[in-house]
């Protein structure tokens, strides 16, 4: 259990996340993931990183139970900072990152996938931000890198998910395959990338990040401020405890 790194082929590093039962990461898990991706990217022998997960889904976001057990704000601050570091590690990885996504990819999973260079997904993969049902805000920055602006807003406000096929239609998923073929397909793409000159592929990654129209670090940090505001007001705790349901509230603003 945790985050592991293996070298399945020359030039490729496979970073695998495994936090049963649904890959909802505790605070230390986000930092472990950030460290693993950064370490892989710094290795001069690596030309591509594949980010994958074991179990039922790719990522279910933050471990809500860990937040609920903390009477203060320590776990929330830790989760915010841990997610920030993990998302940044994927985006700033010195070599391309291929995300291999199966099952659910929710909340923090969108932050990882939205910052990856390429996404390969299984037929059962679904993508979404149920943040409003969890008393949180954030990762709209990364969802907007996967779907058009108005669809992003609709998914965000409703907490609905989009399928891998829908994302394929938008061009944000490279390929959709059967679950059994997912890792092999991701490694196939990584192998093609890893054939390139190591120095040049690193320059290419830096160049592409340099022309990105959105500063993902700054925009995500801006979003996180509203998550903390929701917690200070008390509304986040109420929503988190009921997973989005507030009996008796109706359309009342609270």
């Amino acid at each position: 259990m945790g985050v592991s790194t293996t070298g399945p082929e020359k030039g490729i590093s496979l970073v695998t996340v495994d936090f049963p039962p649904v890959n909802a990461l505790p605070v230390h898990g986000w930092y472990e993931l950030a460290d693993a991706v950064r370490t892989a990217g710094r290795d001069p022998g690596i030309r591509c990183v594949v980010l994958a997960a074991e179990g039922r889904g790719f990522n279910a976001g933050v471990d809500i139970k860990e937040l609920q057990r903390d009477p203060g704000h320590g776990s929330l601050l830790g989760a915010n900072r841990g997610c920030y570091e993990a998302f940044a590690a994927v985006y700033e990885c010195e070599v391309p990152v291929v995300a291999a996504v199966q099952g659910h990819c929710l909340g923090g999973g969108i932050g990882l996938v939205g910052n990856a260079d390429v996404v390969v997904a299984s037929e059962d993969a679904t993508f979404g931000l149920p943040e409003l049902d969890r008393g949180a805000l954030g990762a709209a920055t990364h969802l907007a890198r996967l779907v058009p602006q108005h669809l992003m807003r609709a998914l965000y406000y409703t907490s609905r998910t989009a399928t891998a096929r829908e994302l394929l239609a938008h061009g944000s998923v490279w390929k959709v395959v059967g679950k059994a073929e997912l890792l092999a397909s991701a490694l196939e793409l990584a192998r093609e990338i890893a054939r390139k000159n190591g120095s040049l592929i690193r320059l290419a990654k830096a160049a592409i990040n340099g022309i990105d129209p959105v500063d993902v670090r700054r925009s995500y940090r801006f979003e996180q401020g509203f998550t903390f505001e929701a917690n200070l007001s008390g509304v986040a705790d109420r929503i988190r405890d009921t997973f989005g349901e507030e009996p008796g509230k109706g359309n009342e603003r609270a």
Side-chain angles (χ1 to χ4, degrees):
M1 190 176 82
V3 179
S4 60
T5 303
T6 56
E9 297 179 26
K10 183 179 179 181
I12 300 173
S13 182
L14 173 62
V15 176
T16 305
V17 177
D18 184 15
F19 284 90
V22 294
N23 281 323
L25 273 58
V27 171
H28 71 87
W30 293 106
Y31 283 105
E32 286 178 20
L33 178 53
D35 289 343
V37 172
R38 290 192 187 281
T39 298
R42 291 181 184 129
D43 184 338
I46 297 301
R47 299 179 184 182
C48 186
V49 172
V50 175
L51 179 59
E54 294 285 352
R56 287 155 44 188
F58 178 77
N59 191 286
V62 170
D63 185 350
I64 299 296
K65 292 181 180 178
E66 183 179 40
L67 299 184
Q68 292 172 324
R69 289 193 299 266
D70 186 351
H73 297 299
S75 292
L76 174 66
L77 290 172
N80 277 359
R81 291 168 181 164
C83 285
Y84 183 80
E85 288 303 320
F87 300 170
V90 172
Y91 184 77
E92 296 167 356
C93 183
E94 296 175 28
V95 298
V97 176
V98 175
V101 181
Q102 89 279 5
H104 52 263
C105 180
L106 306 171
I110 295 295
L112 299 172
V113 170
N115 273 355
D117 293 275
V118 188
V119 182
V120 178
S122 63
E123 291 278 3
D124 69 337
T126 55
F127 303 77
L129 287 177
E131 309 307 274
L132 293 184
D133 288 346
R134 295 178 177 176
L137 298 165
T141 291
H142 311 94
L143 185 58
R145 297 167 68 82
L146 297 171
V147 299
Q149 179 70 212
H150 286 83
L151 178 56
M152 179 275 287
R153 289 172 180 256
L155 293 174
Y156 196 94
Y157 296 147
T158 62
S159 297
R160 292 192 184 191
T161 58
T163 66
R165 287 288 176 190
E166 289 172 323
L167 264 61
L168 181 67
H170 291 297
S172 49
V173 163
W174 171 258
K175 183 183 289 188
V176 178
V177 299
K179 191 171 183 177
E181 292 81 45
L182 177 61
L183 185 56
S185 295
L187 288 172
E188 179 183 16
L189 177 60
R191 190 179 305 122
E192 185 174 351
I193 294 171
R195 292 194 190 107
K196 306 302 181 185
N197 177 272
S199 297
L200 199 57
I201 201 70
R202 289 166 185 270
L203 289 173
K205 176 66 181 278
I208 290 174
N209 278 7
I211 62 171
D212 204 315
V214 176
D215 181 342
V216 294
R217 268 184 173 270
R218 183 189 61 79
S219 58
Y220 178 56
R221 195 63 171 160
F222 178 80
E223 289 186 74
Q224 285 188 317
F226 289 95
T227 293
F228 197 65
E229 181 177 329
N231 275 270
L232 291 177
S233 71
V235 65
D237 288 335
R238 297 201 304 273
I239 298 298
R240 231 182 349 251
D241 290 344
T242 57
F243 285 89
E245 297 295 329
E246 274 203 287
K249 285 292 182 183
N251 293 323
E252 176 184 337
R253 181 180 179 181

